[in-house]
Amino acid sequence: SIVNTLTECEDIKYVKLYINGDELKNENGQPLGLLTRSSTDVLMEIVQQEQMPVQVEEGGTTIEKRKAILYFPDEQFMYVVPEVREIEVVNKGIAQALVKELMAGPQKPGLVGIIPDEVKLLDISVSDGIARLNFSKELKDNFPKGTAGESMFLGSITNTLTEVGTIDGVQFLIEGKEMEGVGHVEMDKPFERNTRIIGKRIVLYFSDEQGSQIVPEYRAIPQNELRVARKILEGLIEGPAKEGLK
């Protein structure tokens, strides 16, 4: 549980455990030494990192496969967390490809989608550094509730699109018109990147009630938090937030 949790951090590869200053030993009295995750998990990460962008042309249509950073809210709606994914960009329409992926939802556990299923993207235009997203009328009735939901909606889309070098802000439209009377924020102006709500995911492992297996529980902390190991240990001591774990 502790080893799997700590080695989820990029800068922690091995863990050595001590009890009252003495190295933890196995049932035969031998020191456990350096502990790490399964080598299979590490190999999969290496393979994913080595994938390169690919561009092909089909019947006059240019399709580019590339890595992109998408931001999704964590389950507690505290932060938007980056998720790296390979996407298909058709005819250099990077903004449309990114929003399409956001609407499809996250692939990593512990993250949630924020664009309601009922909402359709009508079109996107980019000019003067502003991406203008034109959504269907369903967005007004299904706009995320509460200040946290609004913050996650805006942060997810805006931070994702401003990863593109030519986009500095995002403006939201409904059926071609400026959004009015929606939520607690003024929606008539473009929104800029908000790095304060960007977090990073941590994974805590707890035992199930039967003590037969360890189960991951996902949380998020600020992206600039340097005491990651301390935060993880504090979370383990605090205990699980979900029922059925201990």
Side-chain angles (χ1 to χ4, degrees), residues 207-212 243-246:
S207 170
D208 62 4
E209 290 183 332
Q210 292 73 35
S212 59
E243 296 181 359
L245 302 178
K246 63 180 182 179

Side-chain angles (χ1 to χ4, degrees), residues 5 71-82 108-112 152 196-204 206 216-228 231-232 234-235 238 241-242:
T5 297
Y71 291 88
F72 293 100
D74 69 290
E75 292 178 330
Q76 289 76 37
F77 271 33
M78 296 292 292
Y79 302 97
V80 292
V81 178
K108 286 185 176 181
L111 304 179
V112 297
M152 293 297 102
R196 291 175 297 177
I197 64 170
I198 296 178
K200 52 188 173 185
R201 192 184 68 155
I202 61 173
V203 188
L204 310 180
F206 297 99
E217 181 176 287
Y218 302 91
R219 301 182 189 178
I221 60 176
Q223 64 167 343
N224 58 356
E225 176 61 66
L226 300 177
R227 302 170 301 164
V228 178
K231 287 292 184 182
I232 289 174
E234 288 176 350
E238 177 184 333
K242 294 183 178 180

Side-chain angles (χ1 to χ4, degrees), residues 70-222:
L70 310 172
Y71 291 88
F72 293 100
D74 69 290
E75 292 178 330
Q76 289 76 37
F77 271 33
M78 296 292 292
Y79 302 97
V80 292
V81 178
E83 177 181 296
V84 179
R85 182 185 303 182
E86 184 181 86
I87 66 172
E88 288 190 352
V89 180
V90 179
N91 293 334
K92 299 184 179 180
I94 179 64
Q96 186 161 358
L98 290 172
V99 176
K100 178 181 177 182
E101 293 295 326
L102 287 176
M103 296 177 75
Q107 295 176 350
K108 286 185 176 181
L111 304 179
V112 297
I114 192 62
I115 301 177
D117 294 337
E118 300 84 356
V119 176
K120 297 179 178 63
L121 178 66
L122 301 181
D123 60 72
I124 295 180
S125 63
V126 180
S127 61
D128 300 324
I130 303 300
R132 294 172 176 83
L133 279 58
N134 186 19
F135 288 105
S136 64
K137 59 184 179 181
E138 287 78 13
L139 178 59
K140 187 170 185 178
D141 295 330
N142 296 277
F143 196 72
K145 306 297 183 183
T147 55
E150 295 168 5
S151 177
M152 293 297 102
F153 177 86
L154 297 173
S156 172
I157 298 175
T158 302
N159 285 324
T160 295
L161 288 176
T162 53
E163 284 286 340
V164 180
T166 57
I167 297 178
D168 301 316
V170 178
Q171 185 166 17
F172 298 87
L173 307 174
I174 293 182
E175 303 286 344
K177 299 180 180 179
E178 294 180 354
M179 293 180 62
E180 296 179 355
V182 177
H184 300 84
V185 294
E186 297 293 333
M187 302 289 291
D188 58 342
K189 296 180 180 179
F191 289 86
E192 297 180 348
R193 187 175 184 83
N194 182 5
T195 59
R196 291 175 297 177
I197 64 170
I198 296 178
K200 52 188 173 185
R201 192 184 68 155
I202 61 173
V203 188
L204 310 180
Y205 288 86
F206 297 99
S207 170
D208 62 4
E209 290 183 332
Q210 292 73 35
S212 59
Q213 59 181 342
I214 55 174
V215 180
E217 181 176 287
Y218 302 91
R219 301 182 189 178
I221 60 176

